[in-house]
């Protein structure tokens, strides 16, 4: 018998996170049948995480499109620089920031 509460189990968190990632790759309506649970709270948790991921990816895409557009309007070929500095915790990426939050939450879970 596993005595660790479900909300503290690492593998349960990973299952929910993976489902949220799958849902984030779909629009919200198409993602609805992907989440199956008898707990409305868990369904909302997964949908909320999916929306955060979807929104962050949208922000990064818009920012990249703006940078490319600005470069093109200047007449120079577009050059994209992706930060990979350990001092830059979010790497100026909204999606990376959300994923780092998820990783931090995962680190608080227990595995057995």
């Amino acid at each position: 018998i596993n005595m660790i509460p479900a909300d503290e189990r690492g593998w349960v968190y990973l299952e929910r996170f993976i489902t949220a990632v799958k849902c984030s790759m779909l629009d919200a309506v198409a993602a609805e049948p992907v989440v199956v649970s008898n707990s409305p709270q868990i369904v909302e948790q997964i949908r909320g995480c999916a929306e955060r991921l979807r929104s962050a990816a949208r922000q990064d895409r818009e920012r990249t499109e703006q940078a490319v557009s600005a470069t093109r309007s200047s007449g120079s070929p577009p050059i994209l620089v992706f930060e990979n500095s350990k001092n830059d915790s979010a790497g100026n990426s909204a999606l990376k920031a959300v994923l780092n939050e998820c990783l931090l939450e995962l680190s608080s879970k227990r595995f057995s």
Side-chain angles (χ1 to χ4, degrees):
I1 296 176
N2 192 337
M3 302 301 290
I4 300 172
D7 283 345
E8 294 178 23
R9 295 181 195 165
W11 64 268
V12 171
Y13 178 81
L14 285 173
E15 285 181 348
R16 293 174 188 173
F17 176 72
I18 290 167
T19 303
V21 169
K22 289 178 184 180
C23 291
S24 73
M25 292 186 261
L26 303 168
D27 66 49
V29 174
E32 291 212 12
V34 174
V35 182
V36 179
S37 175
N38 61 354
S39 168
Q41 180 183 6
I42 290 172
V43 170
E44 285 308 310
Q45 178 187 38
I46 293 169
R47 287 182 182 160
C49 181
E51 183 53 39
R52 284 179 36 224
L53 290 165
R54 199 179 292 119
S55 176
R58 190 178 314 113
Q59 288 174 26
D60 287 350
R61 183 183 66 237
E62 290 170 358
R63 194 181 68 160
T64 300
E65 289 171 354
Q66 289 172 356
V68 168
S69 177
T71 304
R72 283 188 180 147
S73 66
S74 72
S76 301
I79 299 172
L80 298 177
V81 177
F82 296 95
E83 295 292 328
N84 196 17
S85 168
K86 291 185 180 186
N87 296 330
D88 188 7
S89 63
N92 293 323
S93 166
L95 184 56
K96 188 173 180 181
V98 171
L99 293 173
N100 280 339
E101 289 172 15
C102 295
L103 185 59
L104 183 62
E105 186 170 349
L106 175 62
S107 70
S108 72
K109 304 300 180 187
R110 296 167 44 191
F111 290 86
S112 65

